[in-house]
Amino acid sequence: MISAWSADDVRAAEEPLLAAGTPLMERASFALATQVLADLRARRRHVRGARAALLVGAGNNGGDTLHAGAVLARRGVAVTAVLTAERVHSEGLAALRGAGGRVVELAAAPDRAPAVAAEVSAADVVLDGLLGIGARGALRGTAADLVTALVSRLAVGMRSAGSERSDPADLIPTAPGAGRERGRRPWAVAVDLPSGIGVDDGTLPGPVLAADRTVTFGVAKPGLLLPPAARVVGEVTVVDIGLEPVGPPAVRRLEAADVAVSWPVPGPSDHKYTRGLVGLVAGTATYPGAAVLAASAAVRTGTGMVRYRGSDAVARAVLAARPEVVTATGRVQAWVVGPGVPTTRDRDDPADDGQHDRGRGALAVARGDLPGMPYGPVPAVVDAGGLPLLGESSPPWFVLTPHAGELAGLLRSRGEDVHRDDVEAAPLRWARRAHELTGATVLLKGGVTVVAGTEGAWAQADAPGWLATAGAGDVLAGILGTMLAARATDVVERPALAAEVAAAAALVHGFAAERANPGGPVAALDVAEAVPGTVSTLLGLR
């Protein structure tokens, strides 16, 4: 698991070490230089003769960068430090000069930013040490001018080299030299974090130099895991400098081994009624495929049984695709409500097929609102057309699964003036706000999926871009429904677990999409069919 702590928690962890004289900057800068040297060797084999450009601001991150530059210079790298502030870390600057590094004082001549950007773009590696965790908001002044000019120059250079992509974030490979022609643009290394991202919320308020690697010190920071900033951090390398933050992390990310350990595997005494029973209210005559996809995903994820609730016509389509599904009423351990159901609240809508009433009934059971009902409370996945069926408040064992547009609509219905663009610009903020307003756990779908629950947030970046396709959300709903049903009692007793299960479902969903067709396009049903093999592979990690 990757855990990230807030800037305040990191500073609090640093204070006793600094008071004790622990050489944090020396540790950080040496680890940074070591990683940069390894990247240079991977990209060009020989370190000596390589060119490094350092972007240096006024804070300690600038000091880390200057000290690292001194190490690089002593290894034969031609190092140029571009100072964007009038005052920078004096000891680091002295170390760089003592090692033979060159200094460009851009702060004294900010109109030279375009020319300096041209020089920086010719380097083999660029170290971004402009801002650290103490910064708030966008880059400003000379630093902003330099980064804007550099990003523009790199984008133009990529287009002239034959790429149709102009966003530097789209050009990030996953390893040094992967997917990149040598010399097309410098390898960019962010020092602790890319300068200008929201440290704690992952926002992108202004210009940012997209990194190929971020070398972060002590622990990860939330902005490295959260969208939209997650697309500009590259590969994140956490180096140990002795920090021990107190308290829970602000954001977590599950890895494959975490899901493998927690996956419930049936034993010899289990049967279909102990494996987890999923109730499904999904699909209408207009969107019957949503019911087929959600049912297929639930079955393929390993549920003991799927009970389908819907019109006879849609039920026939579901049974034709998945004959294991049953339409009889009975015990349900987790409900999935809303895939393929219209979002209108009008009961008389002919496209409704009666699914709104069925969905309301299922959610009432899941909340435990029906006296004498033996099957509640239980977890519920509330997707798409199920979202308008929520009451004023919901239990935290409900997991809402909107995309950005649906979340904006849900928030507006609760008095917030927010639109899709706002949600996409600050996903964590609005997912948390939805959690506060509804009481439910919120899984916000996207290239990086954000989950906000009762105890912090999760951010999963497991899905390939090809997964942005019709029906993918229906498959996720089915996967999550099965995973909640298998752990229904635990989730209701420990509601914080709902967020972890939701994050695990996002991981399985993303892994299955990649397994279905590595590196290429997938259809939603392909993803559902790839789930059993994905789960088998995960369990092999135990």
Side-chain angles (χ1 to χ4, degrees):
M1 184 184 301
I2 302 173
S3 298
W5 277 265
S6 70
D8 287 344
D9 286 342
V10 172
R11 282 193 291 266
E14 289 175 342
E15 285 177 2
L17 297 177
L18 292 171
T22 304
L24 295 183
M25 183 169 289
E26 288 86 343
R27 292 178 181 178
S29 60
F30 184 77
L32 171 63
T34 299
Q35 182 62 64
V36 171
L37 289 168
D39 286 351
L40 283 171
R41 291 189 189 97
R43 287 175 55 75
R44 63 191 311 275
R45 297 186 181 178
H46 302 292
V47 168
R48 185 168 296 277
R51 293 169 296 171
L54 317 181
L55 312 185
V56 180
N60 285 339
N61 256 35
D64 295 330
T65 307
L66 289 165
H67 278 293
V71 175
L72 297 177
R74 288 194 292 270
R75 298 293 181 88
V77 178
V79 179
T80 298
V82 180
L83 312 185
T84 63
E86 292 182 359
R87 295 183 180 180
V88 298
H89 194 273
S90 58
E91 293 180 3
L93 184 59
L96 178 72
R97 282 180 163 148
R102 173 173 165 255
V103 174
V104 174
E105 297 187 18
L106 184 60
D111 57 326
R112 294 184 55 210
V116 173
E119 180 179 346
V120 170
S121 67
D124 295 291
V125 63
V126 177
L127 277 63
D128 169 14
L130 294 168
L131 296 179
I133 63 171
R136 292 292 182 271
L139 285 167
R140 294 181 289 273
T142 303
D145 293 342
L146 174 61
V147 168
T148 299
L150 182 56
V151 169
S152 177
R153 186 173 186 88
L154 294 176
V156 170
M158 291 304 297
R159 287 197 298 270
S160 65
S163 173
E164 295 179 357
R165 297 173 295 181
S166 59
D167 183 351
D170 293 335
L171 308 175
I172 300 173
T174 57
R180 186 192 287 262
E181 292 181 13
R182 190 173 302 163
R184 291 180 70 180
R185 64 184 287 265
W187 181 255
V189 177
V191 179
D192 209 20
L193 73 172
S195 298
I197 73 168
V199 179
D200 289 336
D201 61 12
T203 53
L204 293 175
V208 174
L209 176 63
D212 298 296
R213 183 186 304 280
T214 295
V215 178
T216 196
F217 306 130
V219 294
K221 286 71 183 179
L224 302 178
L225 305 183
L226 292 166
R231 68 185 178 89
V232 301
V233 304
E235 183 175 348
V236 177
T237 301
V238 181
V239 296
D240 182 13
I241 59 171
L243 295 187
E244 295 183 3
V246 177
V251 178
R252 286 165 282 191
R253 175 174 293 172
L254 291 174
E255 297 179 286
D258 303 310
V259 177
V261 169
S262 63
W263 195 274
V265 177
S269 62
D270 280 303
H271 49 79
K272 63 187 176 185
Y273 296 106
T274 62
R275 292 273 309 283
L277 284 72
V278 176
L280 176 61
V281 181
T284 61
T286 306
Y287 301 108
V292 172
L293 290 167
S296 297
V299 168
R300 300 293 276 169
T301 307
T303 183
M305 182 187 296
V306 173
R307 296 187 186 275
Y308 178 71
R309 301 294 308 281
S311 70
D312 290 343
V314 179
R316 285 192 293 271
V318 171
L319 290 171
R322 301 297 339 172
E324 310 94 329
V325 173
V326 300
T327 57
T329 59
R331 182 183 181 189
V332 166
Q333 289 164 295
W335 284 96
V336 177
V337 176
V341 176
T343 57
T344 176
R345 292 173 179 267
D346 185 359
R347 294 190 184 195
D348 297 324
D349 185 339
D352 171 30
D353 279 0
Q355 292 295 64
H356 290 159
D357 285 339
R358 295 185 187 98
R360 289 187 183 92
L363 294 180
V365 172
R367 279 194 298 269
D369 286 350
L370 301 182
M373 175 62 71
Y375 307 132
V378 296
V381 180
V382 187
D383 185 49
L387 296 170
L389 307 181
L390 294 168
E392 286 303 310
S393 64
S394 298
W397 57 82
F398 279 21
V399 182
L400 316 186
T401 57
H403 56 58
E406 291 168 338
L407 184 64
L410 176 65
L411 289 166
R412 285 197 301 273
S413 74
R414 311 239 167 183
E416 296 289 330
D417 183 16
V418 59
H419 299 274
R420 182 177 191 130
D421 289 349
D422 302 312
V423 174
E424 290 175 340
L428 177 62
R429 172 189 174 185
W430 293 113
R432 280 177 169 165
R433 183 59 177 152
H435 168 64
E436 293 167 359
L437 290 173
T438 65
T441 299
V442 178
L443 181 154
L444 176 57
K445 294 179 286 197
V448 176
T449 293
V450 173
V451 183
T454 59
E455 295 180 4
W458 303 77
Q460 294 300 132
D462 311 294
W466 295 107
L467 192 52
T469 187
D474 307 324
V475 172
L476 174 61
I479 293 171
L480 178 53
T482 290
M483 294 176 69
L484 288 170
R487 306 182 70 181
T489 301
D490 290 341
V491 170
V492 172
E493 291 179 352
R494 296 189 291 119
L497 183 59
E500 182 177 346
V501 174
L507 181 145
V508 171
H509 190 228
F511 277 33
E514 184 63 28
R515 182 186 185 94
N517 188 26
V522 293
L525 192 56
D526 298 337
V527 179
E529 295 299 322
V531 170
T534 299
V535 174
S536 178
T537 298
L538 289 172
L539 293 179
L541 300 176
R542 281 187 163 191

